Amino acid sequence: MTDKLIIFDTTLRDGEQSPGVTLNADEKVEIARQLTRLGVNIIEAGFPVASPGDFNAVQRIAREVGPLMEGRTGENRVNEPVTICGLARCVEKDIQTAYEAIKDAPRHRIHVFLATSDIHLEHKLKISREECKQRIREMVGFAKKLCADIEFSPEDGGRSDREFLVEALGVAIEAGATTLNIPDTVGYNTPQQYGDLIAYLRQHTPGSSTVVWSTHCHDDLGLATANTLAGVSNGARQVEVAINGIGERAGNTALEEIVMNIHTHASTYSVQHTVDTRMLFATSRMVADLSGMPVQPNKAIVGRNAFLHESGIHQDGVLKNKSTYEIIRPEDVGVTTDNLALGKHSGRHAFKSKLDALGYGAPALSDAQFQTAFSKFKHLADSKKSGVTDGDLHALIADVRSASLGAAPSTEVPADLAADPAAGGDPAAPRFTLRHMQVFTGVGITPTATVTLHDTKAARDLTDVALAQNGPIEAVYSAIQRICGLDIALLNFSVSATSEGQDTLGKVAVRIARATADADKDAAEPALTASGAEPKFSGLSTNVDIITASANAYLAALNRLVSHHAADIRAPHDVRNVNI
Ligand code: KIV
Ligand code: ZN
């Protein structure tokens, strides 16, 4: 019998702390759904006290995703609902708020943390070791009265004094902790040091055998995966990981790397997990698309190049026998290398089999999403003579999912966290759709865009024209803003090709927020930027024409923004003069 390894996913908490990543509640719920289907045991859904938006997202995940069993049943699967976890400092208000956010999930956990290293105690918390132990006793005890499943983390454990850690962790066990997680918060440890630390703590902490020991490693020195595996070799039975390794600074341990190491070296790590490895690539793409953090091409397991063989010698070897240069079968992580592009004669069955192989089998897509994907595919296959590649299909699915990411009903927020800027809006069909667009651009002229949107609420078409200094996309975006009567800050814009060749599709991802005028009174025109408190909305679209993709991606994000701010959006207008 091998031990169970608990996969604790922190993509939505530590992962969301990555510089530049801000996911809205809909996006977090969508990612959480995917994580349950993937088969993780615990989702750390956020830090509920951090903001009303965080609270709302964690509560929605607890309610909407906590009970789901889709994709979790069967042999070698989890066969129980996912545990939803909320993070809290060693402070009553944090713990109470975390509990309110997670309590509606059938399985829930509070994760309490307090730093234990002398550096943190002296300079950050300004408390003594005794005070630190006292707080752990009181706050873990407080959390235990609310919830049976309590995790405690000594922050900066990797640089804490071992003897003191043993004392502090002993106190946490006495107060009711059921999981002890040892963070190498700043990614300082070597694998030898971290493995030894886990072994030492397990051996010396009073009551050690009554708790699950857990790893939490950061990647500042590129050692997060190695350190986590060293922890597992020394008895840790929970790993804290994030998809694509996103997280604070250089990130966390990548879920896909841990799972595939265990898969590849089953006899070295005698633990079993319940992750469906065939969904890893699709999950990685979803997180990259929604978080706006692209995956580097040479990233292990999920990078675009992870299974490509460039040199003639390697290609020759792989053609003769794949095991010459492949230690992982690409299909085991949801990558197909058969290069079989689907064409316009491919039917529903071939399309479905391909989606299954790419990790989008039921229940990853609802019936309605599958139908939309199939008709989009048919459309694309008609226009793309060289065939629809896997890259195109990944983008097409991202498109379909992006379109169905609507604003959800807001849920109650504790009174002291009210004035919620990021709580959801009303569920709504897209408010604006693109009717016509004419773009005039070139060298030595000012780009101009004439755009007609259909306002589905008012059932009428609205047209505007805009000029731009910086190119045709800026002109299109200005025209759209003028029609909607909104000032929008464009926070992120990226365009990438979904495959190779001249008829590749362009995939455009944007992130926007309502703009607030900068207070620079001397400037001729106020600069429009997003304030940190403004909720952010993303949109994604794929098209053979990147200007059309850019317009549709912008509209997808804008429809979400409009639905969120429904109450205070000015009415759009018919036609306006062009300011030159
Ligand atoms: O890195 C860290 O110390 C953390 C804790 C909150 C677990 O993320
Ligand atoms: Zn961390």
Side-chain angles (χ1 to χ4, degrees):
M1 271 291 282
T2 48
D3 286 352
K4 172 173 159 184
L5 182 69
I6 298 168
I7 306 288
F8 177 114
D9 183 279
T10 187
T11 307
L12 297 175
R13 200 280 295 168
D14 211 319
E16 216 232 356
Q17 289 174 221
S18 301
V21 171
T22 34
L23 294 160
N24 66 31
D26 289 332
E27 292 162 342
K28 288 183 185 174
V29 171
E30 186 72 5
I31 291 175
R33 278 184 200 281
Q34 177 76 4
L35 293 171
T36 61
R37 296 186 287 252
L38 182 67
V40 307
N41 303 90
I42 301 171
I43 294 175
E44 187 165 44
F47 190 6
V49 85
S51 73
D54 262 53
F55 180 92
N56 177 253
V58 177
Q59 190 178 57
R60 280 189 54 196
I61 291 170
R63 292 176 176 176
E64 296 172 34
V65 183
L68 296 182
M69 284 301 289
E70 276 176 0
R72 292 177 73 79
T73 52
E75 212 186 331
N76 298 327
R77 302 311 321 273
V78 205
N79 290 308
E80 62 188 20
V82 71
T83 297
I84 305 297
C85 175
L87 183 69
R89 287 168 302 182
C90 256
V91 174
E92 271 191 23
K93 183 179 173 202
D94 281 37
I95 296 170
Q96 187 70 46
T97 308
Y99 175 67
E100 298 303 327
I102 56 158
K103 68 177 188 217
D104 294 334
R107 300 172 75 95
H108 46 264
R109 167 181 293 190
I110 302 177
H111 178 186
V112 184
F113 74 99
L114 184 66
T116 47
S117 68
D118 289 334
I119 304 176
H120 280 233
L121 292 182
E122 198 181 318
H123 300 290
K124 186 181 85 173
L125 299 174
K126 302 191 191 313
I127 58 172
S128 66
R129 286 183 175 186
E130 281 313 306
E131 284 169 305
C132 173
K133 282 194 292 182
Q134 182 65 17
R135 265 202 214 173
I136 294 172
R137 187 181 310 284
E138 287 170 8
M139 290 303 115
V140 172
F142 177 73
K144 190 69 180 183
K145 288 197 199 112
L146 301 171
C147 179
D149 187 348
I150 300 295
E151 171 168 329
F152 175 73
S153 291
E155 191 190 7
D156 205 17
R159 291 189 303 167
S160 298
D161 175 70
R162 281 181 175 200
E163 295 314 315
F164 178 59
L165 261 188
V166 164
E167 288 174 35
L169 294 173
V171 169
I173 294 177
E174 262 177 32
T178 41
T179 297
L180 291 180
N181 175 51
I182 311 302
D184 180 17
T185 303
V186 289
Y188 172 75
N189 292 153
T190 64
Q192 184 74 44
Q193 283 170 343
Y194 191 76
D196 285 352
L197 179 63
I198 298 288
Y200 183 87
L201 296 175
R202 286 185 61 229
Q203 196 184 345
H204 293 93
T205 307
S208 149
S209 62
T210 62
V211 295
V212 174
W213 290 85
S214 166
T215 65
H216 181 108
C217 299
H218 280 269
D219 207 30
D220 299 66
L221 291 171
L223 291 172
T225 297
N227 288 354
T228 298
L229 291 170
V232 172
S233 299
N234 284 283
R237 289 296 175 261
Q238 172 178 292
V239 287
E240 299 203 352
V241 288
I243 299 291
N244 300 338
I246 63 174
E248 277 279 6
R249 305 179 312 281
N252 273 101
T253 307
L255 179 150
E256 61 277 8
E257 293 177 15
I258 294 303
V259 164
M260 291 317 290
N261 266 279
I262 290 168
H263 184 90
T264 309
H265 296 291
S267 58
T268 305
Y269 305 107
S270 56
V271 287
Q272 53 185 355
H273 63 79
T274 49
V275 166
D276 181 348
T277 62
R278 292 164 309 163
M279 290 175 64
L280 286 173
F281 191 74
T283 308
S284 159
R285 290 292 292 248
M286 176 195 265
V287 170
D289 285 340
L290 293 181
S291 67
M293 284 265 287
V295 174
Q296 74 200 56
N298 60 334
K299 162 87 180 62
I301 319 295
V302 291
R304 201 176 56 226
N305 296 352
F307 299 99
L308 292 184
H309 303 283
E310 189 69 16
S311 86
I313 297 174
H314 286 213
Q315 287 172 349
D316 179 54
V318 169
L319 284 174
K320 288 176 175 146
N321 187 320
K322 288 189 174 178
S323 65
T324 48
Y325 289 103
E326 273 181 12
I327 58 158
I328 296 171
R329 296 188 322 155
E331 55 272 32
D332 286 351
V333 297
V335 173
T336 60
T337 50
D338 54 15
N339 287 327
L340 282 182
L342 297 181
K344 64 179 181 181
H345 299 299
S346 307
R348 205 173 284 271
H349 186 69
F351 181 65
K352 185 173 176 322
S353 318
K354 188 67 155 182
L355 291 193
D356 284 348
L358 294 177
Y360 299 113
L365 291 184
S366 67
D367 284 350
Q369 284 175 322
F370 177 82
Q371 294 307 338
T372 314
F374 185 64
S375 62
K376 273 181 172 265
F377 155 72
K378 279 296 200 188
H379 214 72
L380 179 61
D382 255 347
S383 59
K384 202 169 174 244
K385 303 289 172 253
S386 60
V388 178
T389 64
D390 292 358
D392 297 336
L393 288 175
H394 282 296
L396 188 148
I397 297 298
D399 232 4
V400 170
R401 279 181 165 156
S402 167
S404 48
L405 266 184
S410 47
T411 44
E412 81 231 34
V413 173
D416 56 346
L417 289 178
D420 180 359
D426 298 327
R431 169 78 185 269
F432 297 105
T433 55
L434 185 62
R435 266 270 206 262
H436 305 290
M437 181 175 73
Q438 188 188 43
V439 177
F440 192 62
T441 189
V443 176
I445 57 165
T446 305
T448 316
T450 309
V451 176
T452 303
L453 298 184
H454 182 67
D455 179 349
T456 54
K457 194 168 166 205
R460 61 181 182 154
D461 286 353
L462 302 155
T463 301
D464 213 323
V465 184
L467 307 171
Q469 299 291 334
N470 299 314
I473 293 170
E474 191 190 20
V476 170
Y477 287 4
S478 300
I480 294 176
Q481 287 189 57
R482 291 161 62 93
I483 291 173
C484 304
L486 288 167
D487 288 327
I488 306 280
L490 180 64
L491 308 175
N492 253 317
F493 175 90
S494 73
V495 56
S496 55
T498 59
S499 55
E500 277 142 31
Q502 281 203 359
D503 60 352
T504 180
L505 305 184
K507 181 168 105 179
V508 174
V510 301
R511 198 155 189 86
I512 60 170
R514 223 150 55 139
T516 46
D518 255 356
D520 181 0
K521 298 211 178 58
D522 297 335
E525 292 227 6
L528 293 174
T529 51
S531 91
E534 280 294 334
K536 325 248 181 322
F537 301 88
S538 56
L540 205 131
S541 183
T542 313
N543 200 286
V544 276
D545 169 11
I546 60 162
I547 298 184
T548 306
S550 302
N552 280 327
Y554 195 72
L555 275 178
L558 187 118
N559 279 323
R560 247 165 250 147
L561 182 147
V562 168
S563 133
H564 180 87
H565 291 293
D568 49 29
I569 296 278
R570 282 191 268 150
H573 50 82
D574 295 293
V575 182
R576 297 204 325 189
N577 294 329
V578 183
N579 298 328
I580 303 181

